[in-house]
Amino acid sequence: MKITFVGAAHEVTGSCYYLEAAGRKFLVDCGMEQGPDYYENVEIPAAPGELDFVLLTHAHMDHSGNLPAIYAKGFQGPVYATDATCNLCDIMLRDSAHIQMFEAEWRNRKGRRQGKPEFVPAYTMEDAMGVLRNFVKCPYDKIFCPAPGIQVRFVDAGHLLGSASIELTVTEGDKEEKIVFSGDIGNKNQPLIKDPQYLQDADYVIMESTYGDRSHGERPDYVSLLAQIIQETFDRGGSLIIPSFAVGRTQEMLYFIRQIKADGLVSGHDNFKVYVDSPLANEATTIFSGHKYDCFDEEALELIKKGINPLSFQGLKISVTSDDSKAINEDEDCKVIISASGMCDAGRIKHHLKHNLWNEKNTVLFVGYQASGTLGRALLEGASEVKLFGEPVHVGAHICRMPGISGHADVNGLLEWAGAFKKKPKKVFVTHGEDTVTESFAKRLQEELGYDTMAPFSGTEYDLTDNVCLYEAKGIRIQKTSVSPKTRKAAGIFEKLLSLGYRLLEVIKKNEGTPNKDLARFSREVQSLCDKWDRKEE
């Protein structure tokens, strides 16, 4: 009975654990690395075709995003996840595959001109669809057996719709060990979804530490705060623009706005319109509504019992096509626009910023983390001018943010979750956090709860039968090559161009069914643009 730590070891993303137990080889999570990558990760110790199954904690890409990649390399086994996670992965993995294929197509056009070998995408749409067909839906709190000697139970982690902690019980001969994977532990009192469920019995615990060194502070009254921002913006004659992540945060914003409207918290602007301009967000909202009985909290269910949809209200407008999106900025009324991406670096939100950012009557409200180097971070840090689609745009709008809003438990929530076990586990492995945070949180678990802890690096192997470390890996830092400011600037401009390419692909897909006359004109315009910029070899 052995575990090998593959991803999210001294790093926040790329969750992946490999286990050999009861004669089976399997994974818990198979996620992409996103954002900064500091340490080298080992390969999964078994060939994908040798893996018997995967247990998945939730749908976020840093936990699920590499599933199509191992399918492409031969994995054919089932992927066990909660009902809601299966449904969210259906839209999120397909969306990821679109991006993978588009990037590969661009690289190969460029590579052919330079005589470079063909770039193969991590996976294709066929790979995403293939692995999605192997998903097995599992209800919360019901024990199932993916193989003899292995029992699994998903419990609500309260982080995202369908998110779970995994209780894994393995029997080998006369030995039985209970291993708990925390997944991402949710923040308490989030709208819509339930609080995290605590487990009380485990021999071994693998837990995350994303906010293992930070407190969210006192929770603001988000409804009152949002109502005040809407009121002040509308009173100026402006509109509120909310860059929002499509899955999770958009649905929270709808929940808050429904209450604002129901309680009449914005006066003088009755029946104000709210546009949700993100196809992925709209699909995700439909999935949220389909899982109200198994995932929603008591407050949301009380609304449903009264015949109230907590994610819908009078004045809600759903934008699907590109024409729908363009029409929003032709609406001169005061309105709320919720659009992706959450950090403003791609997608329809950039068009809304272009049309609204210059106007001092408007407000741009950030409701999620803005990574360094993103357009969203630049706006939060006080940029007076930004470039959108190659043109300078003056920042006249009010820029503000909602403090403390997070789907992750802070350090106090993590300690409360860890402290719920009735007896001390044999070992607690701290993962899924920034480099020093994993170490500091592991130390805090030792000092405050008396736990025997370890913050393993990728490649560490541990025997769960005899409670002994078989191999303690050392962190191998990725060597960063120095990049000139000129090269960085060129890369940044190119990334913006690439994001426009993604948008063009989405626009093409959305025009399916458009009259042939219009499609022919569209085709000629795209062909003309391609002919102009295709750098063919002389």
Side-chain angles (χ1 to χ4, degrees):
M1 197 182 307
K2 183 177 76 171
I3 184 170
T4 301
F5 296 87
V6 178
H10 283 255
E11 293 181 326
V12 176
T13 65
S15 179
C16 185
Y17 311 96
Y18 169 76
L19 290 95
E20 295 178 4
R24 296 293 191 272
K25 300 175 181 179
F26 60 97
L27 300 180
V28 174
D29 285 348
C30 189
M32 280 182 172
E33 288 189 286
Q34 297 177 305
D37 186 11
Y38 298 110
Y39 288 101
E40 292 184 7
N41 283 352
V42 299
E43 295 292 328
I44 296 170
E50 297 175 355
L51 296 172
D52 293 290
F53 58 89
V54 175
L55 305 175
L56 181 60
T57 60
H58 65 285
H60 278 148
M61 286 292 100
D62 62 325
H63 291 256
S64 70
N66 274 343
L67 287 169
I70 63 170
Y71 179 88
K73 295 177 180 179
F75 171 65
Q76 294 292 318
V79 178
Y80 297 97
T82 65
D83 288 19
T85 294
C86 291
N87 290 336
L88 286 176
C89 280
D90 183 53
I91 62 173
M92 296 174 76
L93 291 179
R94 286 189 288 111
D95 186 64
S96 178
H98 279 303
I99 295 172
Q100 301 279 343
M101 294 172 68
F102 188 88
E103 182 177 2
E105 182 181 350
W106 169 82
R107 285 197 182 194
N108 285 328
R109 283 201 305 271
K110 182 177 180 181
R112 282 192 292 271
R113 295 193 295 268
Q114 299 173 348
K116 292 182 178 180
E118 183 180 7
F119 175 81
V120 179
Y123 50 84
T124 65
M125 182 59 67
E126 289 74 18
D127 298 322
M129 296 303 295
V131 79
L132 285 167
R133 284 192 291 269
N134 292 343
F135 271 59
V136 178
K137 296 182 177 182
C138 306
Y140 281 125
D141 297 312
K142 183 176 180 180
I143 295 173
F144 64 94
C145 300
I150 299 176
Q151 293 184 328
V152 178
R153 182 169 70 104
F154 289 116
V155 301
D156 199 333
H159 168 66
L160 175 74
L161 190 84
S163 64
S165 298
I166 296 176
E167 183 183 77
L168 173 66
T169 305
V170 178
T171 303
E172 291 183 344
D174 60 352
K175 292 281 291 185
E176 181 179 283
E177 303 291 347
K178 185 173 289 186
I179 309 148
V180 166
F181 294 83
S182 71
D184 282 354
I185 302 165
N187 200 6
K188 279 188 171 182
N189 300 314
Q190 289 190 84
L192 283 173
I193 63 175
K194 299 174 184 176
D195 286 348
Q197 181 179 342
Y198 296 164
L199 292 97
Q200 299 181 339
D201 182 32
D203 295 301
Y204 297 95
V205 177
I206 296 89
M207 78 171 293
E208 63 116 331
S209 59
T210 308
Y211 280 83
D213 64 341
R214 285 165 285 175
S215 169
H216 294 321
E218 186 176 350
R219 186 179 189 272
D221 181 344
Y222 292 121
V223 172
S224 296
L225 179 59
L226 182 57
Q228 180 182 351
I229 293 170
I230 294 173
Q231 184 76 62
E232 292 174 354
T233 302
F234 287 3
D235 286 349
R236 291 194 301 267
S239 292
L240 174 62
I241 319 302
I242 304 178
S244 181
F245 300 102
V247 182
R249 195 54 44 83
T250 291
Q251 291 73 38
E252 291 174 355
M253 291 300 106
L254 293 178
Y255 186 83
F256 293 149
I257 295 172
R258 187 216 63 82
Q259 185 174 342
I260 288 169
K261 282 177 165 278
D263 295 345
L265 300 181
V266 173
S267 60
H269 307 278
D270 295 339
N271 300 323
F272 64 87
K273 286 171 277 190
V274 178
Y275 291 92
V276 178
D277 189 25
S278 165
L280 183 61
N282 290 325
E283 285 188 84
T285 300
T286 300
I287 291 172
F288 268 68
S289 296
H291 286 278
K292 49 185 174 285
Y293 294 114
D294 56 328
C295 294
F296 281 11
D297 61 16
E298 291 182 5
E299 185 177 354
L301 286 175
E302 280 300 315
L303 293 172
I304 292 167
K305 290 177 183 177
K306 297 175 182 176
I308 299 170
N309 183 343
L311 296 176
S312 185
F313 42 80
Q314 187 176 4
L316 177 62
K317 308 290 183 181
I318 303 301
S319 172
V320 178
T321 68
S322 56
D323 286 340
D324 292 338
S325 182
K326 292 174 184 176
I328 294 172
N329 290 305
E330 296 172 3
D331 181 353
E332 296 181 356
D333 293 339
C334 297
K335 56 195 172 292
V336 176
I337 304 172
I338 304 172
S339 187
S341 70
M343 296 187 192
C344 304
D345 265 6
R348 296 183 177 186
I349 187 62
K350 296 182 72 174
H351 291 272
H352 297 303
L353 291 175
K354 178 182 177 181
H355 285 277
N356 294 281
L357 194 56
W358 59 271
N359 191 335
E360 62 186 16
K361 295 179 181 179
N362 297 331
T363 300
V364 177
L365 172 64
F366 289 97
V367 295
Y369 177 71
Q370 303 299 305
S372 178
T374 61
L375 175 59
R377 173 66 74 88
L379 290 170
L380 276 179
E381 290 179 345
S384 60
E385 183 179 278
V386 296
K387 277 197 172 183
L388 288 165
F389 308 106
E391 298 179 4
V393 177
H394 169 67
V395 179
H398 296 246
I399 308 296
C400 56
R401 63 185 294 269
M402 277 185 129
I405 190 165
S406 175
H408 283 272
D410 65 4
V411 63
N412 299 314
L414 293 174
L415 287 169
E416 187 176 351
W417 185 91
F421 295 102
K422 290 184 176 179
K423 66 175 184 177
K424 296 177 184 178
K426 297 176 184 178
K427 197 85 171 182
V428 177
F429 301 96
V430 179
T431 62
H432 220 289
E434 292 181 356
D435 187 12
T436 58
V437 175
T438 58
E439 299 284 356
S440 65
F441 186 68
K443 185 176 181 181
R444 192 159 179 181
L445 289 174
Q446 290 175 355
E447 295 173 347
E448 298 189 23
L449 299 177
Y451 289 170
D452 183 5
T453 63
M454 179 183 193
F457 282 99
S458 179
T460 295
E461 300 176 3
Y462 204 91
D463 187 322
L464 302 175
T465 302
D466 296 328
N467 190 20
V468 60
C469 187
L470 300 173
Y471 173 70
E472 185 173 359
K474 303 298 181 184
I476 301 175
R477 284 197 172 271
I478 295 173
Q479 299 299 316
K480 305 291 185 181
T481 56
S482 59
V483 180
S484 69
K486 183 177 180 181
T487 302
R488 280 197 298 270
K489 182 178 180 181
I493 294 171
F494 176 75
E495 287 300 321
K496 292 180 181 179
L497 180 61
L498 190 60
S499 71
L500 286 175
Y502 296 149
R503 173 167 171 74
L504 177 59
L505 183 62
E506 292 302 318
V507 170
I508 292 171
K509 291 172 187 170
K510 291 183 182 69
N511 274 275
E512 184 177 5
T514 299
N516 288 338
K517 180 180 178 181
D518 293 333
L519 285 178
R521 180 166 57 86
F522 189 9
S523 298
R524 289 193 298 271
E525 291 173 356
V526 174
Q527 184 66 54
S528 175
L529 186 65
C530 291
D531 290 344
K532 178 180 179 181
W533 288 96
D534 189 11
R535 308 297 194 186
K536 296 179 180 178
E537 295 292 344
E538 297 294 336

